[in-house]
Amino acid sequence: MTRLFAGTAFDIPPTCDQCGKLESDCICTAAEKAEAERARQQAADRRSPESQTAVVTVQKRKGGRQATVIEGLTAKANDLPELLGKLQAACGAGGTVKAKEDLIELQGDHAATIRKSLTNLGYRVK
């Protein structure tokens, strides 16, 4: 026995988290490993809707237009584009996600509909 931990539980050779093979036999590319790590981190950052509070406001824009703005939901903890799609379908309106500012905007005054939709999805609403 030439290795320090030969024959013990610490002598287990390292395996790839992606494919499960020994690291010396692993065929995964660096890009695949990075993508898998990113997906794992994203899943770890996600929070349940019950633990988040959305703040729904209606803002006046130039030209007398109105926009319903949802704040308080972070892009790191939610899939904001997917949530926007659900809210657009419920309201029948256009909208956008501003991930840097962590907000969702919908065209028009749809505060009541959005509050109801977010409550049905499990979010707390102010």
Side-chain angles (χ1 to χ4, degrees):
M1 293 193 197
T2 59
R3 295 185 305 240
L4 181 61
F5 295 110
T8 67
F10 299 108
D11 191 34
I12 300 171
T15 58
C16 175
D17 294 334
Q18 191 76 7
C19 62
K21 296 181 180 179
L22 293 176
E23 282 188 357
S24 58
D25 299 334
C26 179
I27 57 172
C28 300
T29 64
E32 289 173 342
K33 288 182 180 183
E35 178 63 26
E37 179 60 31
R38 186 195 63 75
R40 258 187 252 113
Q41 186 62 42
Q42 188 177 23
D45 290 339
R46 295 280 184 223
R47 291 179 29 206
S48 67
E50 297 83 22
S51 66
Q52 302 178 64
T53 302
V55 179
V56 179
T57 59
V58 177
Q59 297 178 353
K60 289 203 174 212
R61 302 292 167 93
K62 66 179 185 178
R65 296 176 306 202
Q66 294 180 331
T68 306
V69 179
I70 301 131
E71 299 174 300
L73 305 177
T74 62
K76 189 174 182 181
N78 296 286
D79 187 6
L80 293 183
E82 179 185 337
L83 182 59
L84 173 66
K86 290 178 183 177
L87 295 175
Q88 283 177 324
C91 296
T96 187
V97 171
K98 295 191 176 179
K100 287 185 179 179
E101 300 165 10
D102 285 335
L103 59 88
I104 297 174
E105 290 183 353
L106 286 162
Q107 298 169 353
D109 183 359
H110 301 286
T113 307
I114 289 176
R115 283 189 180 98
K116 183 178 176 185
S117 297
L118 287 173
T119 302
N120 290 342
L121 292 171
Y123 291 95
R124 291 181 296 188
V125 180
K126 280 189 177 178

